[in-house]
Amino acid sequence: MSEFGIVYAIHIITVQFGSVVSKVCECLLRKGPLSSRDISRLAESDINHNKVKDILYLLIQHNCVQAFSIEPPDGSESKAIVQYIVLFNNILHRVRYNKFSRIVNEQLDSKCGAVLDGLLSNGRLTLGQFIERDRDSGNTIGSEAIRDSLQKLVAARFVERIPSPEPVLGNKEKEPAKRRGAKAAKILKEPETLEEQVVEAATPVDAIRFPLIFEEDSNSSLADDNSNITEGKRKQRDVDTSDSSSGVIWRPNFEEFIHRLRHKACVEIVKERRDEGCAIVLRAMLEVGRSQEKKVKTDNSAPMSVGSIYEEVIKTEAGRTMLQERVEACLDQLSATSSYLPAFVNEVNDSYIVDYKSIISVAQKDEIEAVVMRRYGKEAFRMFRYLSQEGRFVETDKIADAALTEKKDTPQFLLKMWKDGYLHMQKLAVTAPGMYTPFLLWKVNKLIVTTQMLDEMYHASLNLSLRLAHELEAEKELLLLPLDKLEGPLKERLKKVKAKRLLLSSTMFKLDDAIMLFHDF
């Protein structure tokens, strides 16, 4: 997490839960996992221990914090201490609730959207709480509609059962596990961060996570996919699915929403860089391979045949006009490479694999280059693009020749980008008897650039949110007045306020798309 990423997350919590809750959240963001006692001691406020526990329960209810413990070392008589870790990604997702609702309304229906909205507002609910909430609302849809909608949401994996309340992580001081072969090591990668380890340990198997799916069709392929569940977990699943579903606690499955948004972004990138036909074919490929993708940040899809792709293409209205020959031509286009575009699809043994990493990298490159163009001008943009394509250290004069810029001006542009962290510089010198010739080499370090871009976007989102809050606060009295009582100058002033609010909100919406491109996809 970068500095402005932390500040932006604290701002989101402050706006939605208040400054006291944000103090606890800030403590976890800056200090890392802590026990409730440590939080009450370290939080920059006189919050007593009981108040800290109440705040932690609130943040857990809204899926912003996860409790866990670490197994004590062998032979130790000490008890495992419960610690709390902040879920940074879930905090960022809180500004994306409108996007999530739109997906459900478009892909399912408005009743499912209403059920999801209740879950997004409350964090976690049982079926009974859904029905009670609906009964108290002015626009009731009925208990049967709620039950059916929840079933649809779980079947589509937009909603999941809550994770384990307090998973126990293995102690790293224990004996290392048996050595695996190189191939197995690549497949069974350990999660990179402690947050990922905690989330993975808390996540139940799919049979428990999406139980209504298995009640609906116990002989389905989904059930078969879980044939390797241990006997203990299988018994637990049978108990869980036999219980009344009204006692199960549900929450939004953010992973699935980000998964869908990633697919949508990939289709839009291909449509812009290739054509409508290629976008239709790619969308079909994503549908074919969706069930086999276990993680959002998957580099490549599973292999798929032309036949399976064509079967999916003709399911859509736009795809019914396409013959298989046209689909094969689109696959050839998607597999082609050029000096500016990588292959979006790889052909392997008469099967096709979507290269997500290449598609996303093209959009990331466009975003970075657009920033360089706005900030440093056309000459610097050409230099940056050339260095990005080269992917290695290049000498100053060669950059000037390739970018068609004056050699005397080139170092100034390069130094500006270097000072702002967009370039990596290396000083070398050629020495000989009586001669010393220094020269500079330059290179784009993509990891550093993307990290810096992301931090700048967090900063920009924070500023936009603060500006919007300021504008609304300044015109609070005007916005509360009835519309029928506004005339003349007041009416015009209200129009300007609404236009400004719309502009700031839409800019934040687009900026969040860019944040997802670098952080979530």
Side-chain angles (χ1 to χ4, degrees):
M1 286 179 283
S2 63
E3 176 58 26
F4 279 114
I6 291 172
V7 175
Y8 182 44
I10 294 166
H11 170 72
I12 293 169
I13 295 296
T14 304
V15 169
Q16 298 187 6
F17 298 105
S19 58
V20 178
V21 176
S22 72
K23 288 293 182 185
V24 171
C25 192
E26 181 176 7
C27 188
L28 290 171
L29 283 164
R30 296 196 181 278
K31 305 291 185 182
L34 295 169
S35 67
S36 58
R37 291 282 180 193
D38 288 336
I39 295 169
S40 57
R41 181 172 53 84
L42 294 169
E44 296 177 11
S45 182
D46 53 346
I47 312 173
N48 63 43
H49 185 231
N50 288 334
K51 183 67 174 176
V52 166
K53 287 199 291 186
D54 289 341
I55 290 170
L56 289 170
Y57 294 149
L58 173 69
L59 291 170
I60 290 169
Q61 169 70 23
H62 287 275
N63 308 301
C64 297
V65 164
Q66 172 69 50
F68 73 101
S69 58
I70 298 175
E71 200 175 62
D74 286 341
S76 172
E77 295 181 0
S78 61
K79 292 183 179 180
I81 298 172
V82 179
Q83 298 183 68
Y84 298 88
I85 187 168
V86 69
L87 303 177
F88 176 73
N89 291 346
N90 286 7
I91 294 175
L92 294 187
H93 293 332
R94 298 190 67 81
V95 302
R96 297 171 183 150
Y97 284 178
N98 286 339
K99 294 177 182 179
F100 299 163
S101 292
R102 183 181 295 180
I103 290 171
V104 168
N105 281 296
E106 288 175 354
Q107 298 188 11
L108 296 179
D109 55 50
S110 59
K111 288 181 180 178
C112 291
V115 171
L116 177 73
D117 288 343
L119 202 53
L120 292 173
S121 300
N122 292 275
R124 302 176 176 197
L125 292 171
T126 63
L127 177 59
Q129 288 170 328
F130 273 117
I131 294 170
E132 186 180 342
R133 179 181 172 276
D134 176 68
R135 195 182 298 125
D136 294 339
S137 70
N139 189 20
T140 181
I141 62 174
S143 59
E144 279 303 313
I146 289 173
R147 193 183 298 272
D148 291 343
S149 297
L150 184 58
Q151 174 77 22
K152 288 179 185 177
L153 287 164
V154 176
R157 304 204 169 194
F158 291 131
V159 167
E160 63 180 356
R161 174 177 284 191
I162 62 168
S164 170
E166 190 189 309
V168 179
L169 300 187
N171 195 296
K172 290 184 179 179
E173 294 177 9
K174 286 189 174 184
E175 279 186 33
K178 292 180 182 178
R179 290 188 63 182
R180 298 188 183 101
K183 188 174 181 181
K186 285 183 181 178
I187 297 169
L188 302 171
K189 288 182 180 177
E190 286 190 9
E192 294 179 359
T193 65
L194 179 60
E195 181 181 338
E196 289 173 339
Q197 291 181 53
V198 171
V199 169
E200 185 173 303
T203 304
V205 294
D206 284 356
I208 298 173
R209 191 178 177 191
F210 308 105
L212 296 181
I213 293 174
F214 300 96
E215 285 182 18
E216 187 177 65
D217 184 5
S218 60
N219 296 318
S220 67
S221 59
L222 284 168
D224 293 337
D225 286 343
N226 287 277
S227 58
N228 60 344
I229 298 171
T230 63
E231 187 62 26
K233 287 182 178 176
R234 190 180 301 281
K235 286 177 182 176
Q236 178 64 39
R237 182 194 70 183
D238 294 338
V239 171
D240 289 331
T241 54
S242 64
D243 289 341
S244 171
S245 58
S246 61
V248 177
I249 305 174
W250 304 101
R251 73 169 190 173
N253 179 14
F254 296 132
E255 186 178 58
E256 183 64 26
F257 286 110
I258 297 300
H259 207 155
R260 305 276 179 132
L261 289 169
R262 188 188 196 223
H263 282 187
K264 183 181 177 182
C266 287
V267 171
E268 289 173 354
I269 293 164
V270 167
K271 184 178 179 180
E272 183 182 340
R273 289 309 192 116
R274 294 298 186 187
D275 57 35
E276 181 71 33
C278 288
I280 292 169
V281 171
L282 183 75
R283 188 181 292 112
M285 295 179 77
L286 300 181
E287 286 297 323
V288 172
R290 184 192 301 278
S291 62
Q292 298 181 58
E293 292 176 28
K294 303 302 179 186
K295 297 289 183 183
V296 173
K297 291 186 178 180
T298 305
D299 287 346
N300 298 289
S301 72
M304 54 196 85
S305 65
V306 176
S308 63
I309 296 168
Y310 186 63
E311 282 178 21
E312 190 63 40
V313 166
I314 59 176
K315 288 180 183 178
T316 62
E317 187 177 346
R320 289 188 194 109
T321 61
M322 298 178 72
L323 300 175
Q324 185 163 325
E325 186 179 358
R326 169 69 174 133
V327 172
E328 290 173 357
C330 288
L331 288 169
D332 289 340
Q333 273 185 275
L334 291 167
S335 304
T337 59
S338 68
S339 57
Y340 292 104
L341 283 179
F344 293 149
V345 169
N346 298 316
E347 184 179 2
V348 180
N349 299 328
D350 296 327
S351 293
Y352 293 89
I353 299 170
V354 179
D355 190 338
Y356 292 111
K357 194 173 181 180
S358 291
I359 297 172
I360 297 298
S361 69
V362 166
Q364 289 175 341
K365 179 171 164 287
D366 288 347
E367 286 286 340
I368 294 169
E369 289 182 352
V371 171
V372 171
M373 171 73 90
R374 287 196 302 269
R375 192 169 292 179
Y376 306 106
K378 290 182 180 179
E379 292 84 356
F381 163 74
R382 290 198 298 268
M383 296 175 199
F384 186 87
R385 171 173 275 190
Y386 168 70
L387 287 171
S388 294
Q389 290 170 348
E390 288 297 307
R392 60 183 178 85
F393 281 105
V394 182
E395 198 265 325
T396 307
D397 286 348
K398 286 185 179 179
I399 296 170
D401 293 337
L404 303 175
T405 55
E406 292 289 337
K407 290 190 177 182
K408 61 182 177 63
D409 298 328
T410 301
Q412 296 174 15
F413 288 113
L414 293 170
L415 281 168
K416 281 182 184 177
M417 290 189 282
W418 170 72
K419 285 178 181 177
D420 290 342
Y422 284 84
L423 295 180
H424 185 55
M425 178 180 67
Q426 193 171 31
K427 295 180 180 180
L428 294 177
V430 175
T431 57
M435 184 180 72
Y436 178 82
T437 308
F439 62 97
L440 301 175
L441 299 176
W442 310 87
K443 178 186 176 183
V444 172
N445 187 321
K446 188 178 178 185
L447 182 60
I448 293 173
V449 170
T450 52
T451 302
Q452 172 143 334
M453 277 282 294
L454 192 55
D455 199 42
E456 290 176 1
M457 286 189 282
Y458 289 141
H459 192 186
S461 292
L462 174 65
N463 287 340
L464 283 168
S465 182
L466 291 170
R467 176 65 185 275
L468 179 60
H470 171 75
E471 294 291 341
L472 295 177
E473 181 63 27
E475 301 292 351
K476 182 170 62 175
E477 293 180 3
L478 177 65
L479 292 167
L480 291 173
L481 291 174
L483 290 175
D484 57 347
K485 292 187 177 180
L486 294 177
E487 293 180 1
L490 280 178
K491 199 170 185 179
E492 287 301 315
R493 187 170 142 202
L494 181 63
K495 281 183 182 178
K496 289 180 180 179
V497 171
K498 287 185 174 180
K500 195 178 291 185
R501 180 173 63 183
L502 180 62
L503 176 62
L504 289 169
S505 298
S506 61
T507 305
M508 287 172 63
F509 192 89
K510 291 176 183 175
L511 187 55
D512 183 63
D513 286 343
I515 288 174
M516 285 193 291
L517 187 66
F518 286 90
H519 178 70
D520 299 281
F521 297 168

